[in-house]
Amino acid sequence: MSALNRLPPAIFLMGPTASGKTAVSLELTLRFPLEIVSVDSAQVFRDMDIGTAKPDRATLAQYPHHLIDLITPEESYSAARFRADALRVMGEITARGKIPLLAGGTMLYFKALREGLSDLPQANAELRRAIDAEARERGWPALHAELARLDPEAAARLKPTDAQRIQRALEVVRLTGAPLAESLARRTEAAAPYRLVEFALLPSDRAVLHARIAQRFDAMLAAGLIDEVKALRKKYRLHAGLPSMRCVGYRQVWDCLEGTIDSAALREKGIAATRQLAKRQLTWLRSWPGVEALDCLADDLVEQVARTAERKLA
């Protein structure tokens, strides 16, 4: 038996938003001894249920999920923290004689587990607040221009409006005095000690996925997404720069509540932002090595995943 085959198995179920990952993962738990681990950077936030497409309480009672509702919307969560949390939970699942099923669409988190982490400095709350204050005064394009002077390679990969990534790149440069690539090149954590069975749910027809995205966003609005954000603003001390309020959907509702866009633009921009998210996820997945790619629009998708999982887990 090879060293790889001696490792405990784990399943990655990856795909763009609206590809049906949740439905497939729930069905798989009825066929295999699995426990679901959420790989979603938005579902970690408590009280953010509608806009994150979090499973409802009845579903969670029947199909428990790990790594959701971990922090408040006032807090931040990182790939490093996800990796530590996921490895701990995966170890507990394996010890119970079950198989971890990691399902979600936050590709950076999957990458952190699969390949390990780079030697990036920990987030610095004081510096982030300072950068946010500069952005409010000067605008993110101005900070992107500053990043272009300090780290041209990092800036070239980012749009001038990509606030979250500009903030992190500037933070790293200011903390280390070196370009982001130097920190990324240094690995401090190894790959997860598991035999990975990796699935990518990809659409054979992008137009159908886009239609699903629009339907899902409309359903979120009908379910009370705007009221959810209003309640969050009352309960927590939030601002537009927080990771929670940068999440797709929440960002657009925030702008609507601030009066910078109307309800029609909220819907239009929310759907467009979700489509952009799906495009980025698909870009990650199409270059993902060793993945079993399946059509997420296939009528027998669950059967295909189950057959392939049974063969690879044997």
Side-chain angles (χ1 to χ4, degrees), residues 11-25:
I11 297 173
F12 281 8
L13 185 65
M14 305 175 287
T17 186
S19 60
K21 298 181 295 295
T22 298
V24 172
S25 63

Side-chain angles (χ1 to χ4, degrees), residues 65-85:
H65 285 53
H66 299 278
L67 304 190
I68 65 171
D69 294 335
L70 300 180
I71 60 175
T72 74
E74 297 170 329
E75 301 175 88
S76 297
Y77 195 76
S78 66
R81 181 170 170 186
F82 167 80
R83 187 178 191 279
D85 288 344

Side-chain angles (χ1 to χ4, degrees), residues 32-80:
F32 301 94
L34 305 173
E35 291 188 32
I36 299 171
V37 181
S38 170
V39 186
D40 190 303
S41 60
Q43 291 186 359
V44 299
F45 295 111
R46 291 193 286 273
D47 298 319
M48 290 175 55
D49 302 329
I50 297 172
T52 65
K54 198 177 292 177
D56 60 31
R57 291 184 180 180
T59 301
L60 291 175
Q62 185 176 357
Y63 306 92
H65 285 53
H66 299 278
L67 304 190
I68 65 171
D69 294 335
L70 300 180
I71 60 175
T72 74
E74 297 170 329
E75 301 175 88
S76 297
Y77 195 76
S78 66

Side-chain angles (χ1 to χ4, degrees), residues 146-177:
E146 178 185 336
L147 181 63
R149 293 192 297 273
L150 299 173
D151 188 347
E153 183 180 343
R157 296 195 302 268
L158 304 177
K159 294 181 180 179
T161 54
D162 194 343
Q164 189 168 359
R165 290 179 175 84
I166 293 171
Q167 181 197 60
R168 180 56 172 157
L170 272 177
E171 179 187 32
V172 170
V173 171
R174 291 181 182 183
L175 287 172
T176 66

Side-chain angles (χ1 to χ4, degrees), residues 208-231:
V208 175
L209 182 70
H210 289 171
R212 282 188 181 183
I213 286 171
Q215 291 164 4
R216 190 166 84 155
F217 196 77
D218 284 338
M220 288 176 177
L221 290 173
L225 177 58
I226 294 175
D227 286 338
E228 180 174 82
V229 179
K230 287 179 179 177

Side-chain angles (χ1 to χ4, degrees), residues 12-285:
F12 281 8
L13 185 65
M14 305 175 287
T17 186
S19 60
K21 298 181 295 295
T22 298
V24 172
S25 63
L26 299 183
E27 181 64 29
L28 288 177
T29 63
L30 302 177
R31 304 182 184 212
F32 301 94
L34 305 173
E35 291 188 32
I36 299 171
V37 181
S38 170
V39 186
D40 190 303
S41 60
Q43 291 186 359
V44 299
F45 295 111
R46 291 193 286 273
D47 298 319
M48 290 175 55
D49 302 329
I50 297 172
T52 65
K54 198 177 292 177
D56 60 31
R57 291 184 180 180
T59 301
L60 291 175
Q62 185 176 357
Y63 306 92
H65 285 53
H66 299 278
L67 304 190
I68 65 171
D69 294 335
L70 300 180
I71 60 175
T72 74
E74 297 170 329
E75 301 175 88
S76 297
Y77 195 76
S78 66
R81 181 170 170 186
F82 167 80
R83 187 178 191 279
D85 288 344
L87 288 175
R88 172 181 52 78
V89 166
M90 292 167 74
E92 294 167 356
I93 294 170
T94 299
R96 288 191 285 270
K98 294 189 175 183
I99 299 170
L101 168 60
L102 292 100
T106 302
M107 300 308 303
L108 180 62
Y109 288 5
F110 280 115
K111 183 179 174 67
L113 270 180
R114 191 183 199 275
E115 300 178 8
L117 287 168
S118 301
D119 187 20
L120 290 171
Q122 291 292 316
N124 184 296
E126 183 177 351
L127 180 54
R128 288 192 171 190
R129 284 194 294 270
I131 293 173
D132 280 338
E134 291 178 43
R136 287 192 293 272
E137 181 179 342
R138 300 165 53 200
W140 286 108
L143 292 186
H144 181 267
E146 178 185 336
L147 181 63
R149 293 192 297 273
L150 299 173
D151 188 347
E153 183 180 343
R157 296 195 302 268
L158 304 177
K159 294 181 180 179
T161 54
D162 194 343
Q164 189 168 359
R165 290 179 175 84
I166 293 171
Q167 181 197 60
R168 180 56 172 157
L170 272 177
E171 179 187 32
V172 170
V173 171
R174 291 181 182 183
L175 287 172
T176 66
L180 181 62
E182 289 189 19
S183 296
L184 290 172
R186 295 192 298 270
R187 294 276 166 185
T188 59
E189 302 281 357
Y194 286 85
R195 174 166 55 94
L196 299 178
V197 178
E198 300 170 280
F199 293 97
L201 307 186
L202 307 179
S204 55
D205 186 339
R206 190 81 66 92
V208 175
L209 182 70
H210 289 171
R212 282 188 181 183
I213 286 171
Q215 291 164 4
R216 190 166 84 155
F217 196 77
D218 284 338
M220 288 176 177
L221 290 173
L225 177 58
I226 294 175
D227 286 338
E228 180 174 82
V229 179
K230 287 179 179 177
L232 291 168
R233 284 158 62 108
K234 288 181 180 178
K235 184 173 182 179
Y236 301 103
R237 297 180 62 184
L238 302 177
H239 59 80
L242 286 168
S244 60
M245 292 300 104
R246 291 177 184 162
C247 291
V248 169
Y250 292 90
R251 182 186 319 165
Q252 289 74 34
V253 173
W254 183 282
D255 289 344
C256 183
L257 294 176
E258 291 292 304
T260 58
I261 60 174
D262 61 19
S263 57
L266 158 61
R267 179 184 182 273
E268 178 184 346
K269 290 178 178 292
I271 291 172
T274 310
R275 287 173 59 168
Q276 285 297 314
L277 171 61
K279 182 179 179 180
R280 291 194 298 271
Q281 292 166 320
L282 288 168
T283 299
W284 275 84
L285 287 167

